């Protein structure tokens, strides 16, 4: 078990390095291939009228003239030992782990991300709980009452959920419940530590819209899985043994049907932790997704790099967890 | 099949509900006579102070769909930050917080009077008010103003957002390395501070618009002790009536009263609200909805309601009464490069002048709310505007007969082919370009529309003469707003020969006419304000005689005044947004 985890962690670090290298290349190599010079790259970080002086100063300060591999090395080094930049009378220190200094707003990236994690985490966890519970419950119910009105209605709603994009359901829910009926007026993120009640209340709408999108998929998957397992021989055996129906459904049917769901859940949840980009934008929540958008629209590489790495980190971790959970719920999986 | 029908039914229901919410949002406004703003008519804010009040208290809430370049007065170029920063930063002089044309007047702020010029307009002296304090209680001296200008103009490695006019106009400005690198106590020698209340600027050429430079937030004092370069924005030291309680790049700022600010030292600010809130990165639709539902006081950006919100407001008389439709201080125009054939021939340029359908261009982007057809470069809201029209056509719709006559005179009776560039991520500009393409086609000019990303437009394409010549880009879409609202502030960067650069230039016509250059130089050397202002109209006319610019329309915004907003007036000095020094709230 320990060897397995160490092996996986090592692979994860390697993977993160590759991800950061690719992100770095997209920002610094691709524009060059497209014919851009370092001057035009530097000019993006200066206001309306970049003077040659300012361009030279910015290039020197951000090290844009160095070869790309050297810049990448500085970035990686910064994460481990920190870095220093000259943005004023005294050098500004970028503390460990230094994910860089924003080229545009001159703030350290890591504290910004840390400050935004609670927002994204609140969104993701709450929505995940709702979508897993409702999705699985609806899926099981539909499978057991196959062909009934409930089944058809549930699957109909599920189809709508899968097909309606977030920016549509999000805006519609805002238009209805915030602007029209003003149930949630002045919707903004309130930290859990400040006021748990308000925290939950203000998150209900985003949770529900996010969960609507995902639970649909989960309901359909659970239904399909349940239909399959409930037809298996061992279910008939269980029933023949005289087990209670509830035990048959939950312990023998659902458990087997859940395995593929866990994999997908791991991925979905990890992706959300990397920033619910559209949801955060629609509800004006300042999470990691909103941060990533800011970074992209301002061509502010350190912001994009930071969010990409954190998101990749979550995906790697969640995948590892999923593999471990597999062993627990599916007796057929052995780690060795 | 059934589930698909259900889904469709749900989608339709949701869509209808959305529509219902769009039509029904005004019902809560009908009972709102409490604010007093209800009696004002549409465009009342253009010429008067709407909902005028002397009542202290309340919180003014601003929202912005993205954010500032920086709230640091020494590191910003954005018009709305120039306007907003006056709440916490006092420049030497500023624009008068007043309605209508009075708002274009420069009045003393930190200084006791406007600048005193030497007869050659090369030396300018300001005297500071005595006893004005920073929020920490220390008195503001001329050294703090000098330091603020040094850091904002001469330290591009740290503060690169703002304009660099001081660097361009101050003697020795090209050699000084800025306060972070040059630690000598005297700093830049061409800014003299003989005593704590006197500051003298020595310029490298005559420059009579100095008061407008002094009105930039860059002259607001910054104490050297507290300056941490680019990080100063985290802890701005206030010299105005409000100080920062909190600031975060992502969510915004809260300002409360600065106890060290003294009303007696400040004749232009009433400082009515107790608190100012600025919320950043709010979804643009939400900003508009918050305005309409009177949840916030104003949209900080000051560019008005989004196109999709406008119809909602304009169709109802009581809602329309709460709107102002000012000039945004900017001109959308078509530039013809005089070095690209056949535009080297003035007759071919005239053909385009007559062929373009300006009324059609305005219609293409949404009609009169978005702009008025233009005949001059300088917009009516900028000092120096002179009304004239050298290429008048009936109803501004173009005149094919005159255009064809000009084409014949140019030696191209059958027309010609050229390229028209526009910025891909500016939908209005692309619409106008397509519309122009159609009107040119009617006279036999085939323009191939090519679009490019806005952030590379000047650095890699239209602003690079080599690229323009190679790609036969005779026609280029362009929009321009002045850095300060005078004819010089508007024209110098777009028609002066010195604005032609190998890359990043904004003189897209490559106009280098000695007559125009001289008229600009002479005008800016004229100390007498009336004579100077009159000079800009003449420069405008010279450019139009050259025929290389087709003014398309003066841009307009549609601003909205919520019921709770008090002391609301449009300031022409800041691109036609509301004056944030005056603004207060009944909430």
């Amino acid at each position: 078990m320990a060897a397995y985890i160490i092996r996986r962690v090592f692979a994860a670090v390697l993977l993160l390095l590759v991800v950061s290298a690719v992100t770095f290349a997209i920002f610094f190599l691709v524009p060059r291939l497209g014919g851009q010079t370092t001057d035009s790259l530097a000019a993006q970080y200066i206001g309306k009228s970049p003077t040659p002086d300012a361009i030279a100063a910015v290039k020197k300060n951000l090290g844009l003239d160095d070869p790309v591999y050297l810049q990448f090395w500085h970035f990686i080094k910064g994460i481990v030992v920190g870095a220093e930049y000259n943005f004023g009378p005294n050098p500004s220190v970028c503390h460990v782990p230094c994910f860089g200094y924003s080229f545009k707003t001159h703030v350290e990236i890591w504290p910004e991300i840390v400050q935004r994690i609670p927002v994204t985490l609140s969104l993701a966890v709450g929505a995940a709980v709702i979508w897993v519970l409702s999705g699985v419950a609806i899926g099981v119910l539909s499978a057991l009452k196959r062909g009934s009105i409930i089944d058809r209605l549930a699957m109909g709603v599920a189809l709508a959920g899968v097909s309606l994009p977030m920016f549509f359901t999000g805006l519609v829910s805002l238009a209805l419940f915030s602007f029209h009926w003003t149930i949630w007026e002045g919707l903004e993120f309130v930290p859990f530590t400040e006021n748990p009640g308000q925290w939950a209340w203000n998150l209900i709408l985003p949770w529900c819209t996010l969960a609507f999108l995902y639970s649909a998929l989960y309901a359909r998957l659970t239904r399909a899985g349940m239909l399959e397992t409930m037809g298996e021989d061992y279910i008939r055996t269980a029933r023949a043994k005289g087990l209670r129906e509830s035990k048959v459904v939950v312990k023998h049917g659902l458990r087997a049907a859940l395995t593929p769901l866990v994999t997908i859940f791991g991925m979905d949840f990890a992706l959300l932790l990397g920033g619910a980009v559209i949801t955060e934008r629609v509800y004006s929540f300042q999470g990691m997704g909103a941060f990533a958008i800011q970074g992209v629209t301002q061509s502010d590489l350190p912001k994009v790099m930071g969010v990409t790495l954190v998101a990749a980190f979550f995906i790697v971790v969640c995948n590892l967890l999923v593999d471990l959970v597999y062993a627990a719920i599916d007796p057929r999986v052995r780690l060795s | 099949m059934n589930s698909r029908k259900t889904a469709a039914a749900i989608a339709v229901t949701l869509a209808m509900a959305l529509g219902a919410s769009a039509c029904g949002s005004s019902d809560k406004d009908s009972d709102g006579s409490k604010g007093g703003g209800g009696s004002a008519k549409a465009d009342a804010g253009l010429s008067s102070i709407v909902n005028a009040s002397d009542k202290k208290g309340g919180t003014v809430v601003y929202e912005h769909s993205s954010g500032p370049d920086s709230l640091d007065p020494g590191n910003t170029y954005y018009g709305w930050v120039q306007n907003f920063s006056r709440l916490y930063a006092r420049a030497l002089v500023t624009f008068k917080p007043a309605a209508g044309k009075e708002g274009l007047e420069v009045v003393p702020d930190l200084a006791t009077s406007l600048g005193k010029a030497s007869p050659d307009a090369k030396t300018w002296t300001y005297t500071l008010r005595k006893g004005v304090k920073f929020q920490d209680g220390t008195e503001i001296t001329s050294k703090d103003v000098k330091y603020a200008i040094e850091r904002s103009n001469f330290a591009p490695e740290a503060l690169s957002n703002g304009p660099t006019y001081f660097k361009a106009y101050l003697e020795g400005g090209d050699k000084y390395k800025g306060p972070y690198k040059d630690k000598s106590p005297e700093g830049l020698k061409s800014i003299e501070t003989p005593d704590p209340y006197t500051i003298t600027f020595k310029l490298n050429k005559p420059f009579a618009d100095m008061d407008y430079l002094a009105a930039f937030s860059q002259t607001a004092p910054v104490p050297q002790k507290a300056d941490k370069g680019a990080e100063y924005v985290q802890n701005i030291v206030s010299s105005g009536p409000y100080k920062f309680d909190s600031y975060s790049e992502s969510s915004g700022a809260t300002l409360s009263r600065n106890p060290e600010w003294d009303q007696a030292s400040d004749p232009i600010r009433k400082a009515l609200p107790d608190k100012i809130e600025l919320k950043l990165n709010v979804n643009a639709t939400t900003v508009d909805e918050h305005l309409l539902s009177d949840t916030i006081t104003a949209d900080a950006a000051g560019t008005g309601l989004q196109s999709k919100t406008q119809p909602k407001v304009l169709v109802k008389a009581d809602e329309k009464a709460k709107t102002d439709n000012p000039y945004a201080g900017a001109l959308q125009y078509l530039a013809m490069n005089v070095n690209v054939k056949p535009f080297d021939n003035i007759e071919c340029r005239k053909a385009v002048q007559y062929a373009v359908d300006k009324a059609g261009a305005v219609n293409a982007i949404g009609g009169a709310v978005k702009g008025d057809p233009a005949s001059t470069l300088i917009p009516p809201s900028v000092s120096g505007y002179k009304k004239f029209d050298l290429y008048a056509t009936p109803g501004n719709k173009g005149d094919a007969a005159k255009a064809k006559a000009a084409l014949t005179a140019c030696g191209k009776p059958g027309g010609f082919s050229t390229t028209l560039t526009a910025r891909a991520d500016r939908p209005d500009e692309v619409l106008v370009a397509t519309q122009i393409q159609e009107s040119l086609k009617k006279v036999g000019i085939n323009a191939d529309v090519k679009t490019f990303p806005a952030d590379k437009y000047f650095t890699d394409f239209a602003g690079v003469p080599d690229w323009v010549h190679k790609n036969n880009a005779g026609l280029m879409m362009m929009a321009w707003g002045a850095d300060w609202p005078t004819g010089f502030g508007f024209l110098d960067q777009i028609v002066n020969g010195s604005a032609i650069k190998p890359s990043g230039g904004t003189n897209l016509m490559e106009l280098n006419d000695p007559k125009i250059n001289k008229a600009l130089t002479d005008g800016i050397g004229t100390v007498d304000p009336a004579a100077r202002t009159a000079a800009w109209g003449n420069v405008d006319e010279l450019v139009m005689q050259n025929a290389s610019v087709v003014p398309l329309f003066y841009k307009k915004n549609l601003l909205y005044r919520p019921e709770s907003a008090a002391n609301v007036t449009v300031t022409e000095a800041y691109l036609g947004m509301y004056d944030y020094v005056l603004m207060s709230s009944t909430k």
Side-chain angles (χ1 to χ4, degrees), chain A residues 36 61 87 101 116 282 284, chain B residues 157 230-231 234 250 283 456:
Chain A
Q36 264 207 48
N61 214 357
F87 290 128
Y101 226 77
R116 286 156 183 273
V282 166
S284 317
Chain B
E157 74 279 11
E231 289 171 23
Q234 313 289 340
S250 54
N283 184 340
K456 307 258 160 44

Side-chain angles (χ1 to χ4, degrees), chain B residues 361-380:
Chain B
V362 172
N363 280 337
I365 55 156
V369 171
K370 290 292 203 69
D372 281 351
S375 59
T376 63
L377 273 78
I378 303 177

Side-chain angles (χ1 to χ4, degrees), chain B residues 322-344:
Chain B
K322 291 186 217 161
T323 61
D324 292 307
N325 195 194
Y327 289 116
L331 175 78
Q332 180 83 47
Y333 64 92
L334 179 67
M336 285 175 257
N337 189 293
V338 295
N339 294 327
V340 171
K341 281 185 191 306
F343 297 108
D344 51 342

Side-chain angles (χ1 to χ4, degrees), chain B residues 317-541:
Chain B
D318 58 330
E319 285 292 295
K320 196 185 171 193
K322 291 186 217 161
T323 61
D324 292 307
N325 195 194
Y327 289 116
L331 175 78
Q332 180 83 47
Y333 64 92
L334 179 67
M336 285 175 257
N337 189 293
V338 295
N339 294 327
V340 171
K341 281 185 191 306
F343 297 108
D344 51 342
N345 184 331
I346 188 166
E347 291 302 331
C348 275
R349 302 203 288 267
K350 281 184 182 168
V352 175
Q353 293 280 358
Y354 285 119
V356 166
D357 175 1
K358 296 175 186 177
V362 172
N363 280 337
I365 55 156
V369 171
K370 290 292 203 69
D372 281 351
S375 59
T376 63
L377 273 78
I378 303 177
S381 59
V382 170
S383 300
Y385 166 73
K386 184 169 92 175
K387 195 172 176 177
F388 64 92
D389 192 351
L390 300 187
Y391 309 99
T393 62
N396 284 312
K397 285 187 176 141
D399 189 329
K402 278 189 181 168
K404 280 186 178 151
L407 273 177
T408 312
C410 174
K412 302 260 180 193
F416 56 86
S417 290
T418 189
T419 299
L420 169 57
T421 67
R423 284 166 282 192
D425 31 7
R426 298 203 173 178
D428 281 358
E429 192 167 290
V430 176
L431 280 175
V432 172
T434 321
Q435 200 276 339
I436 288 176
Q437 182 186 34
E438 277 168 33
S439 47
L440 291 179
K441 197 160 194 159
K442 284 181 194 154
V443 299
I445 303 173
N446 287 310
D448 182 14
V449 176
K450 286 192 177 149
T451 60
F452 303 96
D455 57 342
K456 307 258 160 44
Y457 197 62
F458 298 106
T459 52
D460 294 21
F461 304 106
V464 183
D466 278 350
W467 184 90
V468 171
H469 303 158
K470 256 184 227 155
N471 290 275
N472 191 32
L475 301 171
M476 287 168 276
M477 294 298 295
M478 169 80 169
W480 188 253
D483 285 343
W484 68 89
T486 73
F488 188 82
F490 192 88
L491 294 172
D492 189 50
Q493 296 290 312
I494 54 172
V495 302
N496 196 334
S498 65
I500 304 171
K501 291 177 195 160
S503 159
T506 42
N507 179 346
L508 300 191
M509 297 76 70
E510 275 187 73
L511 204 52
N512 196 4
D513 183 333
K515 259 196 309 186
I516 296 172
N517 295 350
K518 185 172 183 305
L520 281 166
T521 314
D522 289 350
I524 202 58
T526 311
V527 180
D528 175 48
R532 192 167 73 241
T533 306
W536 309 137
N538 299 333
V539 179
D540 199 341
E541 212 162 344

